[in-house]
Amino acid sequence: MAAMASDAQLFEEDFRVEKISDPKYDRVDRITCTSADGQTQMALDINKELFPCAIGDNLHVVIATSLALDGTKDDERGWRDASKVGGGEATLADMFEYVCYGKIYRFDDADNGQNIKCYTSFGGLLMSLDGPYKKLTPLRVDNVYLLVKKV
């Protein structure tokens, strides 16, 4: 089962929160993070009431196309029904503290094709990932789940 779930996982990385921007909104912070290997940068708007972060926090981040543990595509069942799968069956979301659903809307090449930048919107909360082409290429899909937890 776990092998199939990994097929739905497009990206998985540990990050450290390096900076939190001055708040422009009451409930939203923009955090800037660096991956554990130093190759990937992430800027993420988070709802700080639901998932407060501090500088120095370590985050485990997964981007997936499905919340189903067996990797079943959500378009076969509808993403809003994820919590009702099999009458309350466990989902990938159960393992994380902060989960969003959004759309990847843009890619930019950087550093002579060695790095790319991926932009995603989660209902207006934005995320950008800047890292090696090989690491971020699997994200060339339309809709994804962002799953985050503190480690």
Side-chain angles (χ1 to χ4, degrees):
M1 231 192 255
M4 284 197 272
S6 66
D7 293 343
Q9 293 182 16
L10 306 175
F11 177 85
E12 185 170 9
E13 192 75 55
D14 288 328
F15 287 90
R16 181 175 177 84
V17 177
E18 304 288 337
K19 178 182 170 191
I20 299 176
S21 66
D22 293 329
K24 294 181 182 177
Y25 303 101
D26 291 340
R27 297 183 182 115
V28 177
D29 275 336
R30 177 164 290 172
I31 60 172
T32 303
C33 307
T34 302
S35 64
D37 65 7
Q39 294 184 334
T40 307
Q41 302 294 314
M42 176 177 70
L44 175 64
D45 295 343
I46 58 161
N47 181 322
K48 64 185 177 186
E49 290 180 340
L50 297 176
F51 191 70
C53 288
I55 292 173
D57 282 353
N58 292 308
L59 308 176
H60 184 71
V61 175
V62 170
I63 298 175
T65 56
S66 173
L67 293 178
L69 293 176
D70 66 1
T72 304
K73 297 286 184 213
D74 289 336
D75 56 359
E76 296 170 18
R77 149 182 95 236
W79 72 270
R80 291 187 186 272
D81 294 330
S83 64
K84 299 174 186 146
V85 177
E89 184 179 314
T91 69
L92 192 58
D94 296 329
M95 296 179 237
F96 290 84
E97 301 166 38
Y98 189 73
V99 180
C100 298
Y101 182 77
K103 180 170 181 61
I104 295 176
Y105 65 91
R106 189 169 113 206
F107 281 90
D108 288 336
D109 288 327
D111 298 334
N112 299 324
Q114 297 300 313
N115 280 3
I116 59 174
K117 198 164 187 177
C118 171
Y119 298 90
T120 310
S121 176
F122 302 99
L125 296 178
L126 304 177
M127 177 182 73
S128 69
L129 286 168
D130 186 350
Y133 186 83
K134 188 174 182 177
K135 238 187 221 188
L136 300 182
T137 296
L139 298 178
R140 292 194 181 268
V141 298
D142 287 332
N143 297 305
V144 293
Y145 292 96
L146 170 71
L147 303 107
V148 184
K149 66 180 173 182
K150 292 181 183 176
V151 289

